[in-house]
Structure formats: structure tokens, C-alpha cells
Amino acid sequence: IMNSGITVIPVKIRTFIQDEGEIKHVLDKGYNLIKDVLDKINDKIEIDVAVTWNDFPSFIKEIGEESEIREFKDRLLAHSAEIAIEDRIIIGKMISKRLEGKREEYSSGIHCFLNKISEDMRAHDVMDDRMVLNSAFLINKRNLKDFEEGIELLNIKYENKLNFKCIGPLPPYSFYTLEIKKLNFGKIDWARRKMLLMNNFVTKDEIKKAYQTLAVTFHPDNNPNVPGIETQFEDITNAHEILKEYCLSAEQAGQYDSCSFIEEEFNNNSLLVRLKG
């Protein structure tokens, strides 16, 4: 599809559209957002870059032989033929700290270089100690060759100490993924009646003020030694999030002044289309 020149907006996994009517509902509710995203990602693709140490065991051994760690080991061995377990733990922490410093140094250099030929970047969590970098880059299609050449230059710069794995071109999952969420009237009614004590028509400001009042009243710090207070506070926070989502959906349906909590009108606000945070 992408090779045919069509712009693809990623949609959050596990999103199911039942029929043509529901598709039209999604397009109607999310029209402005979808149009804005299409404008932003036109002619743009995502390239995911994962970087790992080429020879991780050798690299760890090399860190273990650096002057500070080597000197610490020598001092220990000067007093004993064998290093105690607690001292091995200290050495392990020293190596781990040095490894993290090396990772930050290398990843910073790679990001700085690739950002110059990218539109945007998202750094993801590294999966384990063997991984140096795990990032997504948003690039213009016409700059794809420059990006690939940049990866090759980095490979030369780091003298094969690192392995570069690139996945793409992809739709811009890490930057502009749509979330299409079907709201549940039971949860919304629970949040409105049981937790925030709202009427059938409320504004966003009223919801915010009600939440702030209850959050202070039921905050665990203000209620030491009160059984179940953490659960009550968590319920209030969850109720607030549910109502914020519902208000956003109501705005997409054209209800800017207030949100209606009447079940008969719920279908107009039962679908939320937004960018995944």
C-alpha cells in the first residue's frame, strides 16, 4: 500500500470496525484530527533503529579492566587471594554504572547525527544491557537514501563496535497512531454518579473542580491509617480519567458547552478518536 504512494495512518492494535456505518462514524468523529495527521505525515515514513554491542562479553571485560575498576580489584587482592561476594557486588555496580555511561555517550552521538537528517525522533526503552539504542526516526521519503548512508557512516565511525539494525520503511507508528475507543456507558455513569456526584449535564471545569476537591479529601497523605483510602483515591482518579475521555468525545460530537450523561444521548458520544499518547 505504501509503495503505491498512499499515505497510511497507523491505528492502535486491537481496533476493530464492525461495518461500513461504524467506519463512517469514525471518520465523522475524527475528521479534523485525521485530516491534520494526513497533512503532517504526507511523504513521511518511519525507520526504527536498534543498536547493540557487537561483542558484548568482550566489551564488559574491557570495562572491567579500566583503571578505576582495575585498581579497586588490585587493592582487594592485595589483602586477600579471593574477592569477597560483597566486593563482587560493588564491582558489578561499578561496571553497570560505567556501561550506562558508555550507552548514553554512544546513543547521544548517534541521535545527534541522525537527527540532522530526520524530521523527528522518538527514543524507546532499551530491551536489555546488550542494547545501546532503540529509537524511531521520522524522515521524508526523499531523504531515505541519505538516512541509509548515514547509518553506514556511523558503522564506519564506531569501527564495527556496534550492530545497526534498521526496520522500515513503516507508517509512522511511533509518532501518529490513532486510538479509536468505544466508551462504556456503565463506566461513565459510575464515574459520574458514584465518584464525582455529577448532574446529567456538566462542563469540563465542573468535573475538574469536583475531582480536585475529592482528591484533596481522599488523598492518602491527608488520611493516614484510614483503611482502604488508597483504593478510594485510585477510584476517584480513574473516574476523572473516564470523564475526561467522555468530554473529549462529546467535543468531537459538537458538544462544547457541556457533556450530557443521559443514556439516550450516549450514542452520539460513545466513540472517541484521538492520537495515542
Side-chain angles (χ1 to χ4, degrees), residues 1-8 45 141 144 169:
I1 293 174
M2 292 177 63
N3 287 339
S4 69
I6 295 174
T7 301
V8 177
I45 56 176
K141 290 179 181 178
L144 178 58

Side-chain angles (χ1 to χ4, degrees), residues 184-202:
N184 180 282
F185 181 79
K187 288 184 178 180
I188 292 166
D189 193 52
W190 165 82
R192 191 265 302 181
R193 291 189 300 107
K194 299 296 184 182
M195 301 309 305
L196 300 185
L197 307 175
M198 290 283 136
N199 296 319
N200 285 334
F201 296 92
V202 294

Side-chain angles (χ1 to χ4, degrees), residues 156-182:
I156 294 171
K157 175 183 178 180
Y158 292 109
E159 300 176 341
N160 294 319
K161 289 182 178 179
L162 304 175
N163 285 325
F164 289 84
K165 181 180 180 181
C166 298
I167 302 174
L170 301 168
Y173 294 99
S174 301
F175 304 90
Y176 298 100
T177 293
L178 286 182
E179 179 181 16
I180 301 168
K181 187 171 184 178
K182 297 177 183 178

Side-chain angles (χ1 to χ4, degrees), residues 57-74 77 83 91 94-95 98-99 102:
S58 296
F59 185 70
I60 291 295
K61 185 177 180 181
E62 181 182 317
I63 291 177
E65 294 302 317
E66 290 184 355
S67 58
E68 181 183 358
I69 300 174
R70 181 71 263 173
E71 289 171 5
F72 181 73
K73 290 179 182 177
D74 290 342
L77 292 173
I83 299 177
I91 293 171
M94 293 172 69
I95 292 175
R98 185 63 180 140
L99 174 64
K102 286 282 190 180

Side-chain angles (χ1 to χ4, degrees), residues 228-242:
I229 195 67
E230 291 84 1
T231 300
Q232 286 181 279
F233 182 75
E234 184 178 340
D235 284 344
I236 291 168
T237 302
N238 289 338
H240 183 226
E241 291 301 317
I242 290 170

Side-chain angles (χ1 to χ4, degrees), residues 210-254:
Y211 168 70
Q212 291 174 338
T213 299
L214 288 173
V216 171
T217 302
F218 290 92
H219 198 285
D221 291 346
N222 298 329
N223 298 273
N225 305 318
V226 176
I229 195 67
E230 291 84 1
T231 300
Q232 286 181 279
F233 182 75
E234 184 178 340
D235 284 344
I236 291 168
T237 302
N238 289 338
H240 183 226
E241 291 301 317
I242 290 170
L243 294 181
K244 282 200 305 182
E245 287 185 343
Y246 186 65
C247 284
L248 178 58
S249 178
E251 285 184 0
Q252 291 179 342

